[in-house]
Structure formats: C-alpha cells, structure tokens
Amino acid sequence: MGPEFTERVLDLVDSIPRGRVLSFGMIAEVLQEGGPRQVGRVMALEGGAVAWWRVVRADGSLPSSLMVGAQEHYAIEGTPMRGNGWAVDMTRARWLLED
DNA sequence: CTCTTGACGCCGG
DNA sequence: TCCGGCGCCAAGA
C-alpha cells in the first residue's frame, strides 16, 4: 500500500463533522479501496494526526484502551452514545447515511 | 514460502 | 447479550 491510501484515509477522517463518526468498514467502502483492516492499520500507525475518535467499529465501540480518551471528545462534541455510554449510537451518529 | 497479528465485520448458536 | 468461527488482507517474523 503506497502512502496514497494512507492519505486518502486521513483526508476522509478529517472531513467527518463534529459529533459524527464513520466505521472502519464504511471508510473502506467510501474510498472503494482496501478493507476495514487496512483502514485500521492506517489509524493505528498515523491516526494520531487526525480526529481518530470519529472512527469506530461497525457497532459503535472502540477498544477499551481508546474508549477512555475518546469519551471526553464525545462529551465535548455531543456525540450520541448508547445507553451504557461505552459505544457511539450508530443509528444517530453515523455520517453520510442518516440526517 | 508459511505462520501469526491486528484500532475489522458478519453470522450462527 | 455473549462468545466463537470464518473471511479478509497487509506486514512482520
């Protein structure tokens, strides 16, 4: 994978509005390139350069280690969360498919 | 060349 | 709701 894919992923993540999110799989789908795992690799390596908390798993969760820090951003951005507060409410926060 | 490893996703039990 | 299994695919060892 060239630096090109990495840049496309980071650019798309940069365009996600405050309070909204995209899943790893959705990003791969929008870019029509790679797959969820490739997007995951990019985020693991260079995600620190962008709003990484706006990229979550398909079910709205993130690894526990990242959830701790991510929650602060969700609170600030007013990101809709599911009951327990440990996962984003995808039906309301998913970008490009709902209001 | 063959495992093994992931910031993954989907389905079945 | 909570596993476990399988598909996926690039990178490392």
Side-chain angles (χ1 to χ4, degrees):
Chain A
M1 311 194 35
E4 207 247 46
F5 179 67
T6 298
E7 198 172 325
R8 294 225 290 153
V9 170
L10 298 181
D11 282 349
L12 179 55
V13 173
D14 255 344
S15 67
I16 303 175
R18 281 171 54 90
R20 309 306 295 278
V21 302
L22 281 185
S23 72
F24 294 89
M26 291 169 115
I27 290 176
E29 200 177 322
V30 171
L31 297 181
Q32 285 292 296
E33 185 180 351
R37 315 201 69 131
Q38 280 66 284
V39 174
R41 187 186 340 282
V42 171
M43 292 307 287
L45 299 177
E46 314 192 39
V50 294
W52 55 267
W53 60 91
R54 294 179 191 156
V55 183
V56 302
R57 289 190 191 130
D59 67 356
S61 69
L62 273 182
S64 55
S65 55
L66 294 178
M67 279 309 300
V68 183
Q71 283 194 329
E72 309 212 356
H73 289 288
Y74 295 149
I76 295 173
E77 301 186 358
T79 307
M81 304 299 287
R82 292 200 299 203
N84 51 39
W86 288 88
V88 173
D89 182 340
M90 294 307 279
T91 69
R92 293 191 290 167
R94 126 199 289 180
W95 187 41
L96 304 176
L97 292 179
E98 302 285 327
D99 63 25

